[in-house]
Amino acid sequence: MREGMNDQVMLVNNGKDFNHENLRQLFDLGEHDLPALLSYANQIRKKQVGNEVHLRAIIEFSNYCSCHCLYCGLRAENRKISRYRLTNQEIFQSVQTAVNYGLKTIVLQSGEDQFYRPDDIARLIEFIKKHFDVAVTLSLGEHFRQSYRIWRNAGADRYLLKHETADPILYQKLRPGKNLQDRIDCLMNLKDLGYQVGSGNMVGLPGQTLTSLIEDVLLMKKLNIEMAGIGPFLPHPDTPLGCYSAGSLSQTLKILAITRIVLPTIHLPATTAISTINDNGRRLALESGANVIMPNFTPLYVRNQYVIYPQKIDIIEDPEKSMKNLKKLLKEMNRTISMSYGHAIKIKKYSYYKKEAYHGFGSQ
Ligand code: SAM
Ligand code: SF4
């Protein structure tokens, strides 16, 4: 570690003593200091969660969505994509393929699709848990606590619900009709129901400030989440944000590294979005604190319809090729594939957060 940076990093190390101001010092580090910061996060990753990489098979089972997120290609207003829903049979087939490759977690993801009743999803979870030896993660957006409860009782282990941005005003602009506090309430409900909970944010959103990026990390710390999906914003031409620039690789890696420093035992994916902005993105993320990869097991014939952003890197890769590339990369990096379910390292009980509402910046 470069001298001079030590103090700043030590300040926030293990989350013992950090706040907006000392985190800002890390965010302010220039390009020159970035390699040392990433390498420090990599050391923490190694010490805290080891060399194992957890593979989570993502199955994008429906691209219908009733939401209007300005950034997303699946938004209800986008009439240019054809919509699909996989049949249960197709979903089970995809699960079987993932299991054949040795994956121990299935991530069921979709838009907020009103077609499904809570019980439909519960039956799906029950079937998967009964017939396959896997953990189940859901990523279905915002729902009533009662639905989350039904799915948890059906056997779901984890839930991914990115808070997207910790700036409540920007959040409302980017997700018309929604608000950040509701999202946070969902995350707290999920925690309360015993899910391992993942959140996360996009980096480089139009209108996003450095202050709000720092708050993204602080919010995840405050919520004591177990996983964080952090990736660059990528403009989709058929959305209102189509003409904006993408988030940068270096900023995304920096935030990934800082998240590892602040939440040392967290599960951090090297996201598809990072691989999409840079061919070497997956490797760089794995060297900056990431310890999870989410290979895509959605059937190839619908994958090009789940276009949340363009040139999504995994759109054309079949499981055979993607698993081969993945194994090669991990071997080169001296990293092993985890054979476990990859549950949260420490399933801690969140304590104080529930008692107070989130009022935006400076509310800690
Ligand atoms: N509908 C669910 C939800 O919103 O939580 C799950 C599916 S949604 C497609 C999954 C994630 O895609 C979102 O949490 C968001 O961060 C990401 N996403 C959407 N549009 C994006 C874009 N243009 N660039 C980068 N990530 C994007
Ligand atoms: Fe729907 Fe999720 Fe896309 Fe928003 S991010 S439009 S909720 S799929």
Side-chain angles (χ1 to χ4, degrees):
M1 160 125 345
R2 201 178 69 78
E3 240 178 83
M5 218 183 83
N6 221 5
D7 288 351
Q8 287 158 12
V9 176
M10 288 329 247
L11 265 175
V12 293
N13 194 10
N14 293 329
K16 278 185 200 129
D17 178 18
F18 69 93
N19 54 37
H20 193 99
E21 283 63 46
N22 57 30
L23 272 191
R24 182 174 284 270
Q25 290 176 20
L26 288 187
F27 274 81
D28 280 344
L29 290 172
E31 290 291 320
H32 182 68
D33 285 319
L34 187 62
L37 178 73
L38 304 186
S39 146
Y40 184 63
N42 197 27
Q43 285 171 38
I44 294 185
R45 182 272 308 155
K46 194 170 174 187
K47 187 165 164 225
Q48 298 285 342
V49 297
N51 267 340
E52 286 191 332
V53 173
H54 300 281
L55 304 186
R56 326 283 206 199
I58 184 158
I59 301 171
E60 301 151 336
F61 66 93
S62 160
N63 69 351
Y64 282 86
C65 190
S66 55
C67 297
H68 316 285
C69 308
L70 300 193
Y71 41 80
C72 180
L74 305 192
R75 66 198 304 266
E77 291 77 3
N78 186 7
R79 311 254 177 258
K80 290 199 182 162
I81 53 166
S82 38
R83 305 279 173 170
Y84 70 87
R85 286 184 190 102
L86 296 181
T87 62
N88 283 353
Q89 222 30 56
E90 288 171 309
I91 297 172
F92 302 147
Q93 185 55 52
S94 302
V95 176
Q96 183 67 65
T97 308
V99 168
N100 292 347
Y101 279 100
L103 276 78
K104 303 285 277 180
T105 291
I106 301 298
V107 183
L108 297 174
Q109 191 179 83
S110 68
E112 286 191 18
D113 185 352
Q114 315 292 332
F115 170 83
Y116 299 100
R117 289 165 300 147
D119 277 351
D120 299 330
I121 301 292
R123 299 293 84 78
L124 186 59
I125 298 162
E126 274 166 4
F127 187 92
I128 293 173
K129 292 294 279 195
K130 185 167 173 209
H131 295 277
F132 303 96
D133 180 22
V134 289
V136 169
T137 302
L138 302 177
S139 175
L140 315 176
E142 289 176 36
H143 293 273
F144 293 122
R145 182 184 168 96
Q146 180 57 10
S147 303
Y148 290 152
R149 186 197 299 279
I150 291 169
W151 301 336
R152 177 83 183 118
N153 289 342
D157 301 277
R158 310 185 193 124
Y159 205 102
L160 286 182
L161 187 75
K162 289 166 69 173
H163 66 270
E164 314 295 3
T165 172
D167 177 342
I169 296 167
L170 182 63
Y171 184 98
Q172 242 168 326
K173 278 189 196 151
L174 297 180
R175 307 199 70 226
K178 305 275 186 182
N179 74 74
L180 181 59
Q181 186 60 54
D182 288 346
R183 194 82 164 178
I184 291 173
D185 288 347
C186 284
L187 287 165
M188 294 196 300
N189 277 331
L190 289 162
K191 278 240 156 200
D192 212 33
L193 292 165
Y195 284 88
Q196 297 162 50
V197 174
S199 190
N201 61 292
M202 279 175 278
V203 178
L205 286 164
Q208 192 173 42
T209 59
L210 187 61
T211 300
S212 80
L213 285 166
I214 298 169
E215 288 296 324
D216 281 322
V217 178
L218 288 172
L219 177 58
M220 292 191 283
K221 175 75 183 170
K222 207 166 183 181
L223 288 166
N224 201 9
I225 53 144
E226 282 99 13
M227 309 169 277
I230 297 168
F233 157 71
L234 292 154
H236 188 303
D238 302 322
T239 65
L241 303 185
C243 59
Y244 288 89
S245 313
S248 81
L249 175 70
S250 58
Q251 183 79 315
T252 307
L253 293 175
K254 185 189 270 184
I255 294 166
L256 201 64
I258 293 174
T259 305
R260 168 63 68 201
I261 294 167
V262 172
L263 288 152
T265 59
I266 198 169
H267 283 312
L268 273 184
T271 54
T272 307
I274 298 181
S275 307
T276 302
I277 42 165
N278 187 290
D279 289 347
N280 217 12
R282 181 176 273 173
R283 179 193 287 269
L284 292 168
L286 287 170
E287 286 169 346
S288 308
N291 70 324
V292 173
I293 292 177
M294 297 169 71
N296 198 330
F297 282 83
T298 309
L300 273 170
Y301 50 84
V302 291
R303 251 194 245 172
N304 63 356
Q305 292 160 47
Y306 200 87
V307 186
I308 53 185
Y309 47 77
Q311 274 102 45
K312 200 157 153 269
I313 196 78
D314 59 12
I315 269 177
I316 39 158
E317 270 199 349
D318 64 77
E320 181 69 29
K321 191 171 163 218
S322 102
M323 290 302 292
K324 201 171 146 212
N325 289 342
L326 194 57
K327 284 181 182 163
K328 184 168 168 276
L329 174 71
L330 296 181
K331 199 167 170 209
E332 280 166 18
M333 297 181 72
N334 228 359
R335 302 279 285 269
T336 50
I337 295 180
S338 167
M339 305 304 283
S340 76
Y341 298 109
H343 286 313
I345 311 277
K346 284 182 199 152
I347 307 177
K348 307 168 211 151
K349 263 216 139 333
Y350 73 102
S351 48
Y352 59 96
Y353 196 83
K354 198 174 176 192
K355 299 188 188 95
E356 21 166 304
Y358 183 72
H359 300 298
F361 301 153
S363 65
Q364 73 267 17

